[in-house]
């Protein structure tokens, strides 16, 4: 196995921490640098089990800080980048779109430029891996699936910013010959997800007997994937994916929000030893999200056929692991839901 110098951005976040752990544990000969600004979504508590590993270094820093990023590339001479750092929440993007342009578009550009300047067009054995979302494809009707060839048609400021950064990554490939790969993944869930996204938010609210704010009529559909399966897919694409290509990653697991919420309620009642049906009573229909995409559904047959990837757990199993993790990690949950979370929650749901 060749030695590598891998920069993982956003490695203290939800998905990034699972990717960092997998790479640090699996590739002892790689030097893994985790660069993260530790925004509200980044948390070093997600990585305490590997923080002292000899092949791991954490660096606090912002991808939009160009001199800092250039100096970091000079210092470590990264041969590959797995770029996950982003503003990632659609509701926040509706309230503050510019923050999404700064990190997701400008930040990505600064990384691309630093990578290009370091290798001066000699990109042998190099790779820039951009981790992206299925939301760039826009919204599906009741039928159909997103394929790698589906046109981009983003609707939210979040998805528009991710689409833009995907385009720049591809443009650097076409224009400068920079070796890249892009993956577009469906909704992730699992341990360490910040409780602003549907599943951890509702787990936290059920624990605290708070209303479960279902947007609109709840008949919106998402495809859900367990986060560890996403990390496994990233490992596969990083090592075996075709350069200059795109792979869709999904769970083959479509759920209407309201059905998912009811399943979650049932599992929470069991896990908490509460009377059957008690969590469902917390469901509250609230004002819809503006520009709410009706349905996302991924055709993940390319990564399945070409790289042999498929999800390793069923949704019911993954949800149970997730619920158990949140119930066993009360300190983590209490710490991330104190302080600025309260202000966010008031503004979003009052
Ligand atoms: P997250 O919000 O949990 O974590 C993002 C991380 O990026 C945090 O650790 C944060 O501190 C860091 N970060 C933010 N701005 C930064 C900056 N300017 N400089 C350095 N670090 C910064 O996000 P996530 O859910 O783990 O998503 C990770 C990536 O995967 C994102 O690019 C997202 O678009 C993509 N993605 C997410 C999902 C999902 O369901 N969550 C699905 C598909 C793709
Ligand atoms: P979310 O977890 O924010 O992911 P995304 O918007 O990236 O798909 O939302 C998942 C679905 O759940 C989406 O259709 C919006 C809906 N939703 C609610 O109904 N209530 C909520 O409080 C949240 C956060 C989301």
């Amino acid at each position: 196995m060749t030695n590598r110098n891998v920069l993982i951005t956003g490695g203290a976040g939800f998905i990034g921490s699972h990717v960092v752990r997998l790479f640090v544990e699996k590739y002892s000969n790689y030097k893994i640098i985790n660069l993260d600004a530790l925004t509200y979504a980044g948390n070093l508590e997600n990585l305490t089990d590997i923080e002292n590993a000899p092949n791991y270094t954490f660096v606090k820093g912002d991808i939009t800080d160009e001199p800092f990023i250039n100096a970091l590339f000079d210092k470590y001479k990264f041969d590959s980048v797995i770029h996950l750092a982003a503003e990632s929440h659609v509701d926040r993007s509706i309230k503050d779109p510019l923050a999404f342009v700064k990190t997701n578009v400008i930040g990505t550009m600064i990384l691309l430029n630093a990578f290009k300047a370091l290798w001066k067009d000699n990109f042998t054995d190099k790779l820039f891996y951009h981790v992206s979302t299925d939301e760039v494809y826009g919204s599906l009707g009741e039928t159909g699936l997103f394929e790698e060839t589906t046109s981009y048609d983003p609707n939210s400021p979040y998805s528009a910013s991710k689409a833009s950064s995907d385009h720049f990554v591809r443009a650097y490939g076409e224009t400068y010959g920079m070796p890249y790969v892009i993956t577009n993944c469906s909704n992730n869930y699992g341990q360490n997800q910040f409780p602003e996204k549907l599943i951890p938010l509702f787990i936290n609210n059920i624990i605290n007997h708070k209303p479960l704010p279902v947007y609109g009529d709840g008949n919106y559909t998402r495809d859900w994937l367990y986060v560890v399966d996403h990390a496994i897919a990233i490992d596969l694409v990083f090592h075996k994916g075709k350069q200059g290509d795109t792979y869709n990653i999904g769970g083959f697991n479509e759920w209407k929000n309201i059905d998912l919420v009811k399943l979650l309620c049932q599992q929470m009642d069991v896990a908490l030893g509460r009377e059957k049906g008690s969590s469902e009573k917390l469901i509250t229909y609230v004002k819809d999200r503006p520009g709410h995409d009706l349905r996302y559904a991924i055709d993940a047959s390319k990564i399945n056929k070409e790289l042999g990837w498929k999800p390793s757990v069923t949704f019911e199993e993954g949800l149970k692991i997730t619920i158990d993790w949140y119930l066993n990690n009360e300190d983590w949950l209490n710490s991330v839901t104190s302080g600025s979370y309260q202000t966010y929650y008031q503004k979003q749901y009052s």
Side-chain angles (χ1 to χ4, degrees):
M1 235 183 338
T2 31
N3 295 327
R4 301 199 77 145
N5 254 1
V6 185
L7 172 67
I8 301 182
T9 71
F14 166 49
I15 301 169
S17 60
H18 290 277
V19 175
V20 165
R21 176 175 299 102
L22 189 155
F23 272 70
V24 166
E25 287 178 348
K26 194 166 167 187
Y27 302 107
S28 55
N29 57 326
Y30 290 8
K31 197 176 199 174
I32 307 293
I33 312 294
N34 171 11
L35 167 70
D36 197 296
L38 300 180
T39 68
Y40 78 92
N43 189 346
L44 288 178
E45 295 294 311
N46 295 346
L47 290 165
T48 45
D49 53 332
I50 55 113
E51 67 189 1
N52 294 320
N55 59 339
Y56 173 69
T57 305
F58 174 73
V59 178
K60 184 172 186 298
D62 193 323
I63 57 167
T64 66
D65 181 346
E66 196 171 8
F68 164 79
I69 291 296
N70 290 341
L72 194 75
F73 275 72
D74 262 357
K75 177 172 176 191
Y76 287 103
K77 310 267 186 280
F78 304 113
D79 54 69
S80 22
V81 176
I82 306 177
H83 177 34
L84 295 111
E87 289 293 340
S88 68
H89 188 38
V90 173
D91 290 329
R92 288 186 194 252
S93 81
I94 294 167
K95 294 224 153 54
D96 184 9
L98 192 56
F100 284 67
V101 177
K102 284 180 182 156
T103 288
N104 301 359
V105 185
I106 311 279
T108 302
M109 285 294 296
I110 287 171
L111 290 171
L112 287 168
N113 280 340
F115 197 67
K116 178 174 174 296
L118 180 63
W119 299 113
K120 300 184 178 47
D121 302 341
N122 178 10
F123 292 118
T124 314
D125 296 329
K126 312 292 184 300
L127 183 67
F128 192 100
Y129 184 146
H130 190 227
V131 176
S132 191
T133 167
D134 61 351
E135 303 190 27
V136 297
Y137 298 122
S139 184
L140 290 165
E142 293 295 340
T143 58
L145 297 171
F146 294 138
E147 294 171 10
E148 284 80 0
T149 50
T150 304
S151 301
Y152 276 31
D153 188 18
N155 293 314
S156 72
Y158 164 65
S159 54
S161 70
K162 293 295 291 188
S164 172
S165 50
D166 285 2
H167 287 322
F168 275 112
V169 172
R170 206 167 277 126
Y172 272 57
E174 292 298 321
T175 308
Y176 308 114
M178 180 181 285
Y180 73 91
V181 68
I182 300 172
T183 47
N184 297 89
C185 186
S186 63
N187 287 56
N188 284 215
Y189 70 95
Q191 48 275 53
N192 304 99
Q193 188 170 28
F194 191 79
E196 63 184 354
K197 309 268 168 55
L198 181 72
I199 291 180
L201 179 91
F202 280 29
I203 290 175
N204 185 46
N205 284 14
I206 292 171
I207 293 172
N208 295 300
H209 304 275
K210 284 170 67 177
L212 306 177
V214 173
Y215 295 159
D217 60 7
N219 284 318
Y220 293 90
T221 299
R222 298 290 182 264
D223 170 275
W224 293 91
L225 178 68
Y226 181 51
V227 63
V228 174
D229 282 326
H230 187 186
I232 292 169
I234 289 174
D235 176 25
L236 260 180
V237 173
F238 180 84
H239 289 99
K240 300 194 173 137
K242 205 166 130 240
Q243 284 189 5
D245 216 344
T246 291
Y247 295 84
N248 282 351
I249 306 172
F252 304 97
N253 180 41
E254 272 185 64
W255 285 80
K256 278 201 193 301
N257 290 344
I258 190 61
D259 297 334
L260 184 163
V261 169
K262 286 182 179 164
L263 174 69
L264 181 67
C265 286
Q266 286 157 19
Q267 288 204 3
M268 286 296 288
D269 285 345
V270 174
L272 290 163
R274 288 186 189 163
E275 194 189 332
K276 200 170 168 206
S278 55
S279 298
E280 266 191 43
K281 289 190 189 134
L282 298 169
I283 292 175
T284 311
Y285 292 93
V286 300
K287 194 165 156 262
D288 211 346
R289 172 187 278 175
H292 200 163
D293 285 336
L294 177 68
R295 177 169 164 261
Y296 304 145
I298 282 266
D299 178 356
S301 54
K302 177 174 169 180
I303 188 172
N304 175 256
K305 282 196 196 109
E306 286 187 17
L307 305 180
W309 175 89
K310 63 177 185 338
S312 68
V313 295
T314 65
F315 190 47
E316 285 75 4
E317 286 163 348
L319 209 49
K320 183 169 181 334
I321 298 169
T322 305
I323 290 170
D324 289 346
W325 185 84
Y326 280 93
L327 295 180
N328 291 326
N329 287 275
E330 212 183 331
D331 288 349
W332 185 96
L333 199 50
N334 288 340
S335 112
V336 301
T337 53
S338 61
S340 61
Y341 180 81
Q342 295 299 330
T343 320
Y344 164 76
Y345 197 89
Q346 284 298 328
K347 270 203 197 137
Q348 182 63 24
Y349 295 104
S350 62

